[in-house]
Amino acid sequence: MLTNNINNKSLSRLFLSLSLLSILSLSLFFFFFISNPTQISQNTPYSNHINVYVADLPRSYNYDLLNLYWTSSSPDSRIPTQILDPPRRHRGKYPPYPENPLIKQYSAEYWLLGDLETHENSRPNSFANRVFNEDDADVVFVPFFATLSAEMELAKEKSSFRKKTFDNEDYKRQREVVDLVKNSRAWKRLGGRDHVFVLTDPVAMWHVRADIAPAILLVVDFGGWFRLDSKSKSLSLTPNGNSSEMVLIQHTQVSLLKDVIVPYTHLLPRLELKHNQKRRNLIYFKGAKHRHRGGLVREKLWDLLVNEPRVIMEEGFPNATGREQSIKGMRSSEFCLHPAGDTPTSCRLFDAIQSLCIPVIVSDSIELPFEGMIDYSEFSVFVAVSDALIPSWLVAHLRSFSRVQRDKFRRKMAEVQPMFVYDNGHADGIGPIPLDGAVNLIWRKIHQKLPVIKEIIARDKRKPQGVSNPLRCHCT
């Protein structure tokens, strides 16, 4: 009995000692956390901002390039003159971005730099914290309007755009930017893996992509970064949509591990849910019937659907000559068809969302912006190419959605509409950005990539000299 009492007392003392030790440890932890709140946030992926350093490039690669656009008297031969931006002078430091629809749809570069150029006191909503010492940065933003540069050259002469000569002004700018950036201390310290390039146009920085492959690339999809193997045969589809020839896709430089898919800039105005009216058409599509590569599906879909009742298939560029027609068509239709074109996605998808027209995505290899933040299945219909090319299947499938289901899709679409908006309401792009807008979501998405990028950097550091990792596709 005495032995039991001694053992009980010993156990009680041991328990009390362990309890006091635990309380002391917790007290020290909370004291440390409160007195050093940034100590943890700087070393975990859960901090409430991303530190961004803007690479030191001359204004001739961004805002002065806009001034060059506005003072140019050369017309854009690709679109009718009645919708061209008239030449004019802008004396302000920050010129507006063109309304030319072929250029405006790729304006992410303008709004992201505009956010960083806005004075700190006017950026309460931005997830990006601009820093002025590269050593304090999580990422280095390269302020090159690569899309504007490419489109200005394409507007002059498409054949010159392909030439790797200094007669090609875009190629000249690409090479100059790469040389400036790669010779900087910021690039050399991590091999450019923390640099951010905005390449929303599929042909932006086309000639120097191998040079910037290690960087974080902001692209609308990976369609422009793959090529058909030169030895493979052209894509041929059987009536049920199966490929009659296997086409080999070569991996180039993009990966969902490090790169960020961003939305096109929508060109049609937003329709609020309270203003939605009865939709008399089932399906609407406006665009070019004939496309290349994966866009061959579009031509076959067109032939299947063009004579179906309550289905509108219109030829033409939907956001140029037929803007009002596109607004009317999308707002009066239940579903908006989104087949792949030359690339898996297009501006058409984001116009449909702003028009509350339920997207029907017929593109097996599509990449979409902000996945993980947004569940597209809550407001879009995804259809396999093989199913869509079965005669009468697609129309029957879409008619099977009840009014309740379609209304639910539209309510969800109304919730996510702001997430695809770049515009901050200021003509010069300088000013507070919306908390839930596209610019902030892009900064957050880049922030999500940082742990993987840091891991890649660490692996590179321990590699023996002369050893290189093989290219591997991590795109799906």
Side-chain angles (χ1 to χ4, degrees), residues 268 284 286 314 317-327:
L268 300 187
Y284 179 77
K286 185 179 181 69
E314 295 177 341
F317 181 53
N319 301 305
T321 57
R323 184 174 185 272
E324 294 304 318
Q325 193 176 17
S326 296
I327 294 173

Side-chain angles (χ1 to χ4, degrees), residues 18-34:
L18 289 173
S19 299
L20 289 172
L21 184 60
S22 299
I23 292 169
L24 179 61
S25 299
L26 286 170
S27 300
L28 287 172
F29 172 79
F30 284 115
F31 173 78
F32 175 79
F33 180 80
I34 293 169

Side-chain angles (χ1 to χ4, degrees), residues 60 70 78 92 102 119 172 229 283 306 357 387 400 431 439 452:
S60 57
W70 285 115
R78 300 170 297 172
L102 292 176
H119 191 276
K172 181 181 177 182
D229 183 76
I283 303 173
V306 68
C357 185
D387 288 332
S400 71
V439 171
V452 171

